[in-house]
Amino acid sequence: MVVRLFIVLLLLVSSSSYAAFTASVNKNPVLAGEFFVLSLQLDSSANGQQPDTSALLKDFVVGPTNTSSGMRSINGQVSRNTTWSIELMVRNPGNYTIPAFTVNGQTTAPINLTVLKADSAQTKNNDIFITTSIESDSLYVQQAGVYTVKLHLAADLSEGQLGAPTLADASVSQLGKQTENYEIIDGKRYLVVTRNYLIQPQQSGEYTIKGPVFKGRVRQNYRSVAASALGEDIQLTVKPIPNAVTGNWLPSELVTLDDEWAPDKTEFEVGEPITRTITLTALGITKEQLPELQLPNMKGIRSYSDQADNNHVVRNNQVISQRVESFALMPQIPGTYELPEVRIPWFNVVTNQLDYAVLPSKTITVTGDFVPPADNVAVANDQAPSNVTQPQTTTYTSIEYKTNWWLIGSGYGLWVLTLIVWFLTRNKNNTASRKNDPKPNNRNGIEVLVQHAKNNDTKAFYSELIRYQQAELGAKNASLEFIIDYLNSDKAAQEIRNLQHNLYGSAKQNVDLKTIINELKKINKTHNSSVLNEMYQ
């Protein structure tokens, strides 16, 4: 009797110290594309450890893992248990092995799993299925393709999650938001959720686009049941960049260039602002691939580029990208100009040949008077472009003067008399002479500029600057270039050009008007306005 009691106690102690770790599935065999549950149960506390499920990623689609723990007491003996529930799915039929797992020194036994092929006709009769498509199953490296996913739902969905397609060595991103509409298929009404994905392969070779996975729950007979669906895989051929292609790689079906002029004409005045907007459009590439647009520099015409606007959209399962860039042009010298063509190379994926998008050259005429810089009048000929018709040169005829001694004597006497009067009255009229400064309008003009600067009114500042040049500095054809040459200051020149961008460009620039005013004040202290008048007459 004592021996029998000892054996029972020994069995109880040994059973309480033994921690079993088992693995099981809720169904076997399963259908390809169907989710099932793998359960791992440890008859003890996990002590914070987790099973390593990374080995499952080789053959299975691994869903979320739920962890639960419990405790029970039998005859005063307390035991704990931990359970992990992992949702799994297999894409293709065949025989698979769920590997062993180890936690706290305990290891499960592997499980042999049979996956059967799902009948396509039966699948489409289900309440949930996925269709996938791509515009072309052959792309060049970095060519953008649009991959379309459609989730069909005929059941009352309570919750669900639709994954994204996967493709190795490629960039995959969703385009815009999903759309929803209803379709009748084989007499059954489906809610169709459509998503478009931008697929851009980065390496050449043969690839498989793995279809997305849907997992959710639907309502059936007043209860919620699990539901899942798998999109079909698509084989994709990625072709390498041809060896003959150099420079920018633009694989596309069509690339075009268009431009608009404001004002839309071919004859302009010197100093008249012109805005040229160029639009580059391409199919099958992303907005990031579009090259920067550049206009060649031309003597006699200053140009400033604004910030470009890049975007892309999807139309008829194709990516359409556009780059819109504006250029502010300011003609400086009269003449006839031939603006050279703009040419963008691209690779035609239809003909498999190099092609070009071209804006043809354009001829414009600039009229008006050219005003040379004050410090070097001869620079005018150097600035004229070689393809510009030179403006007519003004010929000055020398005039022979005869000496008139009577006029010389009268003028000399008048000068002496004026000198005497000034000497006698200079102390009495000291204050008045300050009020009669030879440049009162200069100070008044600067004061007006200061007021506009305080109000941050760039348009009024520009108008007053033009008036100031014409009224105070004697410029016949006042322009911002005139004041740049007059001030001869890099700081002022930069701010004046910022002012020009602010007025004529589509993108506004910050302008430090105070710098322009300070340079005007400096120049007025050291330069005589009458000398400037003579040089610019």
Side-chain angles (χ1 to χ4, degrees), residues 302-339:
R302 293 182 180 270
S303 64
Y304 311 89
S305 62
D306 290 336
Q307 185 174 1
D309 181 20
N310 284 15
N311 58 77
H312 59 224
V313 296
V314 176
R315 293 287 185 274
N316 298 324
N317 291 329
Q318 282 189 317
V319 181
I320 304 175
S321 298
Q322 275 194 339
R323 180 182 179 92
V324 181
E325 194 162 355
S326 295
F327 298 86
L329 307 178
M330 182 70 68
Q332 304 296 313
I333 303 174
T336 301
Y337 294 80
E338 183 178 356
L339 305 181

CSV table of all heavy atoms in Angstrom, one decimal, residues 302-339:
chain,number,residue,atom,x,y,z
A,302,ARG,N,17.7,88.8,-71.3
A,302,ARG,CA,17.9,88.1,-70.0
A,302,ARG,C,16.8,87.2,-69.7
A,302,ARG,O,15.6,87.4,-70.1
A,302,ARG,CB,18.0,89.2,-68.9
A,302,ARG,CG,19.2,90.1,-69.0
A,302,ARG,CD,19.2,91.1,-67.8
A,302,ARG,NE,20.3,92.0,-67.8
A,302,ARG,CZ,21.5,91.7,-67.2
A,302,ARG,NH1,21.6,90.6,-66.6
A,302,ARG,NH2,22.5,92.6,-67.3
A,303,SER,N,17.1,86.0,-69.1
A,303,SER,CA,16.1,85.0,-68.8
A,303,SER,C,16.2,84.5,-67.4
A,303,SER,O,17.3,84.4,-66.8
A,303,SER,CB,16.2,83.8,-69.7
A,303,SER,OG,17.4,83.1,-69.5
A,304,TYR,N,15.0,84.3,-66.7
A,304,TYR,CA,15.0,83.8,-65.4
A,304,TYR,C,14.0,82.6,-65.4
A,304,TYR,O,12.9,82.8,-65.9
A,304,TYR,CB,14.5,84.9,-64.4
A,304,TYR,CG,15.3,86.2,-64.6
A,304,TYR,CD1,14.8,87.2,-65.5
A,304,TYR,CD2,16.4,86.4,-63.8
A,304,TYR,CE1,15.5,88.4,-65.6
A,304,TYR,CE2,17.1,87.6,-63.9
A,304,TYR,CZ,16.6,88.6,-64.8
A,304,TYR,OH,17.3,89.8,-65.0
A,305,SER,N,14.3,81.5,-64.7
A,305,SER,CA,13.4,80.4,-64.7
A,305,SER,C,12.8,80.3,-63.3
A,305,SER,O,13.4,80.6,-62.3
A,305,SER,CB,14.2,79.0,-64.9
A,305,SER,OG,15.2,78.9,-63.9
A,306,ASP,N,11.5,80.0,-63.3
A,306,ASP,CA,10.7,79.8,-62.1
A,306,ASP,C,10.7,78.4,-61.7
A,306,ASP,O,11.1,77.5,-62.4
A,306,ASP,CB,9.3,80.3,-62.3
A,306,ASP,CG,9.2,81.8,-62.4
A,306,ASP,OD1,10.1,82.5,-62.0
A,306,ASP,OD2,8.2,82.3,-63.0
A,307,GLN,N,10.2,78.1,-60.5
A,307,GLN,CA,10.2,76.7,-60.0
A,307,GLN,C,9.2,75.9,-60.8
A,307,GLN,O,8.1,76.3,-61.1
A,307,GLN,CB,9.8,76.7,-58.5
A,307,GLN,CG,9.8,75.3,-57.9
A,307,GLN,CD,9.6,75.3,-56.4
A,307,GLN,OE1,9.3,76.4,-55.8
A,307,GLN,NE2,9.6,74.2,-55.7
A,308,ALA,N,9.7,74.7,-61.2
A,308,ALA,CA,8.9,73.8,-62.1
A,308,ALA,C,7.8,73.1,-61.3
A,308,ALA,O,7.9,72.9,-60.1
A,308,ALA,CB,9.8,72.8,-62.8
A,309,ASP,N,6.7,72.7,-62.0
A,309,ASP,CA,5.6,72.0,-61.3
A,309,ASP,C,5.5,70.6,-62.0
A,309,ASP,O,5.3,70.5,-63.2
A,309,ASP,CB,4.3,72.8,-61.6
A,309,ASP,CG,3.1,72.1,-60.9
A,309,ASP,OD1,3.3,71.2,-60.0
A,309,ASP,OD2,2.0,72.3,-61.3
A,310,ASN,N,5.8,69.6,-61.2
A,310,ASN,CA,5.8,68.2,-61.7
A,310,ASN,C,4.6,67.4,-61.1
A,310,ASN,O,4.3,67.6,-59.9
A,310,ASN,CB,7.1,67.5,-61.3
A,310,ASN,CG,8.2,67.9,-62.2
A,310,ASN,OD1,8.2,68.9,-62.9
A,310,ASN,ND2,9.3,67.1,-62.1
A,311,ASN,N,3.9,66.6,-61.9
A,311,ASN,CA,2.8,65.8,-61.4
A,311,ASN,C,2.6,64.7,-62.4
A,311,ASN,O,3.1,64.7,-63.5
A,311,ASN,CB,1.6,66.6,-61.2
A,311,ASN,CG,1.1,67.3,-62.5
A,311,ASN,OD1,0.5,66.6,-63.4
A,311,ASN,ND2,1.4,68.6,-62.6
A,312,HIS,N,1.9,63.6,-61.9
A,312,HIS,CA,1.5,62.5,-62.8
A,312,HIS,C,0.1,62.0,-62.4
A,312,HIS,O,-0.3,62.1,-61.2
A,312,HIS,CB,2.5,61.4,-62.8
A,312,HIS,CG,2.8,60.7,-61.5
A,312,HIS,ND1,4.1,60.4,-61.1
A,312,HIS,CD2,2.0,60.3,-60.5
A,312,HIS,CE1,4.0,59.8,-59.9
A,312,HIS,NE2,2.8,59.8,-59.6
A,313,VAL,N,-0.6,61.5,-63.3
A,313,VAL,CA,-2.0,60.9,-63.1
A,313,VAL,C,-2.1,59.6,-63.9
A,313,VAL,O,-1.2,59.3,-64.7
A,313,VAL,CB,-3.1,61.9,-63.6
A,313,VAL,CG1,-3.1,63.2,-62.8
A,313,VAL,CG2,-2.9,62.2,-65.1
A,314,VAL,N,-3.2,58.9,-63.7
A,314,VAL,CA,-3.4,57.7,-64.4
A,314,VAL,C,-4.7,57.8,-65.3
A,314,VAL,O,-5.7,58.3,-64.8
A,314,VAL,CB,-3.7,56.5,-63.4
A,314,VAL,CG1,-4.0,55.2,-64.2
A,314,VAL,CG2,-2.4,56.2,-62.6
A,315,ARG,N,-4.5,57.6,-66.5
A,315,ARG,CA,-5.6,57.7,-67.5
A,315,ARG,C,-5.6,56.4,-68.4
A,315,ARG,O,-4.6,56.1,-69.0
A,315,ARG,CB,-5.5,58.9,-68.4
A,315,ARG,CG,-5.7,60.2,-67.6
A,315,ARG,CD,-7.2,60.5,-67.2
A,315,ARG,NE,-7.3,61.8,-66.6
A,315,ARG,CZ,-7.2,62.0,-65.3
A,315,ARG,NH1,-6.8,61.0,-64.5
A,315,ARG,NH2,-7.4,63.2,-64.8
A,316,ASN,N,-6.7,55.7,-68.4
A,316,ASN,CA,-6.8,54.5,-69.2
A,316,ASN,C,-5.7,53.5,-68.9
A,316,ASN,O,-5.0,53.0,-69.8
A,316,ASN,CB,-6.8,54.8,-70.7
A,316,ASN,CG,-8.0,55.7,-71.1
A,316,ASN,OD1,-9.1,55.5,-70.6
A,316,ASN,ND2,-7.8,56.6,-72.0
A,317,ASN,N,-5.4,53.3,-67.6
A,317,ASN,CA,-4.4,52.4,-67.1
A,317,ASN,C,-3.0,52.8,-67.6
A,317,ASN,O,-2.1,51.9,-67.8
A,317,ASN,CB,-4.7,50.9,-67.5
A,317,ASN,CG,-5.9,50.4,-66.8
A,317,ASN,OD1,-6.2,50.8,-65.7
A,317,ASN,ND2,-6.6,49.5,-67.5
A,318,GLN,N,-2.7,54.0,-67.8
A,318,GLN,CA,-1.4,54.5,-68.2
A,318,GLN,C,-1.0,55.7,-67.3
A,318,GLN,O,-1.9,56.5,-67.0
A,318,GLN,CB,-1.4,55.0,-69.7
A,318,GLN,CG,-1.2,53.8,-70.7
A,318,GLN,CD,-1.0,54.3,-72.1
A,318,GLN,OE1,-1.5,55.3,-72.5
A,318,GLN,NE2,-0.1,53.7,-72.8
A,319,VAL,N,0.3,55.8,-67.0
A,319,VAL,CA,0.8,56.9,-66.2
A,319,VAL,C,1.1,58.0,-67.2
A,319,VAL,O,1.8,57.8,-68.2
A,319,VAL,CB,2.1,56.5,-65.4
A,319,VAL,CG1,2.6,57.7,-64.6
A,319,VAL,CG2,1.8,55.3,-64.5
A,320,ILE,N,0.6,59.2,-66.9
A,320,ILE,CA,0.9,60.4,-67.7
A,320,ILE,C,1.5,61.4,-66.8
A,320,ILE,O,1.0,61.8,-65.8
A,320,ILE,CB,-0.4,61.0,-68.3
A,320,ILE,CG1,-1.2,60.0,-69.1
A,320,ILE,CG2,-0.1,62.2,-69.1
A,320,ILE,CD1,-2.5,60.5,-69.7
A,321,SER,N,2.8,61.8,-67.1
A,321,SER,CA,3.6,62.7,-66.3
A,321,SER,C,3.8,64.0,-67.0
A,321,SER,O,3.9,64.0,-68.3
A,321,SER,CB,4.9,62.1,-65.9
A,321,SER,OG,4.7,60.9,-65.1
A,322,GLN,N,3.8,65.1,-66.3
A,322,GLN,CA,4.0,66.4,-66.9
A,322,GLN,C,5.0,67.3,-66.0
A,322,GLN,O,4.9,67.2,-64.8
A,322,GLN,CB,2.7,67.2,-67.0
A,322,GLN,CG,1.9,66.9,-68.3
A,322,GLN,CD,0.8,67.9,-68.5
A,322,GLN,OE1,0.3,68.6,-67.7
A,322,GLN,NE2,0.4,68.0,-69.8
A,323,ARG,N,5.8,68.0,-66.7
A,323,ARG,CA,6.6,69.1,-66.1
A,323,ARG,C,6.3,70.4,-66.7
A,323,ARG,O,6.4,70.5,-68.0
A,323,ARG,CB,8.1,68.7,-66.2
A,323,ARG,CG,9.0,69.8,-65.6
A,323,ARG,CD,10.5,69.4,-65.8
A,323,ARG,NE,11.4,70.4,-65.2
A,323,ARG,CZ,11.9,70.3,-63.9
A,323,ARG,NH1,11.6,69.3,-63.2
A,323,ARG,NH2,12.7,71.2,-63.5
A,324,VAL,N,5.8,71.3,-65.9
A,324,VAL,CA,5.5,72.7,-66.5
A,324,VAL,C,6.5,73.7,-65.8
A,324,VAL,O,6.6,73.8,-64.6
A,324,VAL,CB,4.0,73.1,-66.1
A,324,VAL,CG1,3.7,74.4,-66.7
A,324,VAL,CG2,3.1,72.0,-66.6
A,325,GLU,N,7.2,74.4,-66.7
A,325,GLU,CA,8.2,75.3,-66.2
A,325,GLU,C,8.1,76.6,-67.0
A,325,GLU,O,7.9,76.6,-68.2
A,325,GLU,CB,9.6,74.7,-66.5
A,325,GLU,CG,10.7,75.5,-65.7
A,325,GLU,CD,12.0,74.6,-65.6
A,325,GLU,OE1,11.9,73.4,-66.0
A,325,GLU,OE2,13.0,75.2,-65.1
A,326,SER,N,8.1,77.7,-66.3
A,326,SER,CA,7.9,79.1,-66.8
A,326,SER,C,9.3,79.8,-66.8
A,326,SER,O,10.1,79.7,-65.9
A,326,SER,CB,6.9,79.9,-66.1
A,326,SER,OG,5.6,79.3,-66.2
A,327,PHE,N,9.5,80.6,-67.9
A,327,PHE,CA,10.7,81.4,-68.0
A,327,PHE,C,10.3,82.8,-68.2
A,327,PHE,O,9.5,83.1,-69.1
A,327,PHE,CB,11.6,80.9,-69.2
A,327,PHE,CG,12.1,79.5,-69.0
A,327,PHE,CD1,11.3,78.4,-69.4
A,327,PHE,CD2,13.3,79.2,-68.4
A,327,PHE,CE1,11.8,77.1,-69.3
A,327,PHE,CE2,13.8,77.9,-68.3
A,327,PHE,CZ,13.0,76.9,-68.7
A,328,ALA,N,10.9,83.7,-67.4
A,328,ALA,CA,10.7,85.2,-67.6
A,328,ALA,C,11.8,85.7,-68.5
A,328,ALA,O,13.0,85.6,-68.2
A,328,ALA,CB,10.6,85.9,-66.3
A,329,LEU,N,11.4,86.3,-69.6
A,329,LEU,CA,12.4,86.8,-70.6
A,329,LEU,C,12.3,88.4,-70.6
A,329,LEU,O,11.2,88.9,-70.5
A,329,LEU,CB,12.1,86.3,-72.0
A,329,LEU,CG,12.1,84.8,-72.1
A,329,LEU,CD1,11.8,84.4,-73.6
A,329,LEU,CD2,13.4,84.1,-71.7
A,330,MET,N,13.5,89.0,-70.7
A,330,MET,CA,13.5,90.5,-70.7
A,330,MET,C,14.4,91.0,-71.8
A,330,MET,O,15.7,90.9,-71.6
A,330,MET,CB,14.0,91.0,-69.3
A,330,MET,CG,14.0,92.6,-69.2
A,330,MET,SD,12.3,93.2,-69.2
A,330,MET,CE,11.7,92.7,-67.6
A,331,PRO,N,13.9,91.4,-72.9
A,331,PRO,CA,14.8,91.9,-74.0
A,331,PRO,C,15.5,93.2,-73.6
A,331,PRO,O,14.9,94.1,-73.1
A,331,PRO,CB,13.8,92.0,-75.2
A,331,PRO,CG,12.5,92.2,-74.6
A,331,PRO,CD,12.5,91.4,-73.3
A,332,GLN,N,16.8,93.3,-73.9
A,332,GLN,CA,17.6,94.4,-73.5
A,332,GLN,C,18.1,95.2,-74.7
A,332,GLN,O,18.3,96.4,-74.6
A,332,GLN,CB,18.8,94.0,-72.7
A,332,GLN,CG,18.5,93.2,-71.5
A,332,GLN,CD,17.7,93.9,-70.5
A,332,GLN,OE1,18.1,95.1,-70.2
A,332,GLN,NE2,16.6,93.4,-70.0
A,333,ILE,N,18.2,94.6,-75.9
A,333,ILE,CA,18.8,95.2,-77.1
A,333,ILE,C,17.8,95.0,-78.2
A,333,ILE,O,17.3,93.9,-78.5
A,333,ILE,CB,20.1,94.6,-77.4
A,333,ILE,CG1,21.1,94.7,-76.2
A,333,ILE,CG2,20.7,95.3,-78.6
A,333,ILE,CD1,22.4,94.0,-76.4
A,334,PRO,N,17.5,96.1,-79.0
A,334,PRO,CA,16.6,95.9,-80.1
A,334,PRO,C,17.3,95.1,-81.2
A,334,PRO,O,18.5,95.1,-81.4
A,334,PRO,CB,16.4,97.4,-80.6
A,334,PRO,CG,17.5,98.1,-80.1
A,334,PRO,CD,17.9,97.5,-78.8
A,335,GLY,N,16.4,94.4,-82.0
A,335,GLY,CA,17.0,93.6,-83.1
A,335,GLY,C,16.1,92.4,-83.4
A,335,GLY,O,15.0,92.3,-82.8
A,336,THR,N,16.5,91.5,-84.2
A,336,THR,CA,15.8,90.3,-84.6
A,336,THR,C,16.5,89.1,-84.0
A,336,THR,O,17.7,88.9,-84.2
A,336,THR,CB,15.7,90.2,-86.1
A,336,THR,OG1,15.0,91.3,-86.6
A,336,THR,CG2,14.9,88.9,-86.5
A,337,TYR,N,15.8,88.3,-83.2
A,337,TYR,CA,16.4,87.2,-82.5
A,337,TYR,C,15.8,85.9,-83.0
A,337,TYR,O,14.6,85.8,-83.2
A,337,TYR,CB,16.1,87.3,-81.0
A,337,TYR,CG,16.8,88.5,-80.3
A,337,TYR,CD1,16.3,89.7,-80.4
A,337,TYR,CD2,18.0,88.3,-79.6
A,337,TYR,CE1,16.9,90.8,-79.7
A,337,TYR,CE2,18.6,89.3,-79.0
A,337,TYR,CZ,18.0,90.6,-79.0
A,337,TYR,OH,18.7,91.6,-78.4
A,338,GLU,N,16.6,84.9,-83.2
A,338,GLU,CA,16.1,83.6,-83.5
A,338,GLU,C,16.4,82.7,-82.2
A,338,GLU,O,17.5,82.3,-81.9
A,338,GLU,CB,16.9,83.0,-84.7
A,338,GLU,CG,16.3,81.6,-85.0
A,338,GLU,CD,17.0,81.0,-86.3
A,338,GLU,OE1,17.8,81.7,-86.9
A,338,GLU,OE2,16.7,79.8,-86.6
A,339,LEU,N,15.3,82.4,-81.5
A,339,LEU,CA,15.4,81.5,-80.3
A,339,LEU,C,15.6,80.1,-80.8
A,339,LEU,O,14.8,79.5,-81.5
A,339,LEU,CB,14.2,81.6,-79.5
A,339,LEU,CG,13.8,83.1,-79.0
A,339,LEU,CD1,12.6,83.0,-78.1
A,339,LEU,CD2,15.0,83.7,-78.3
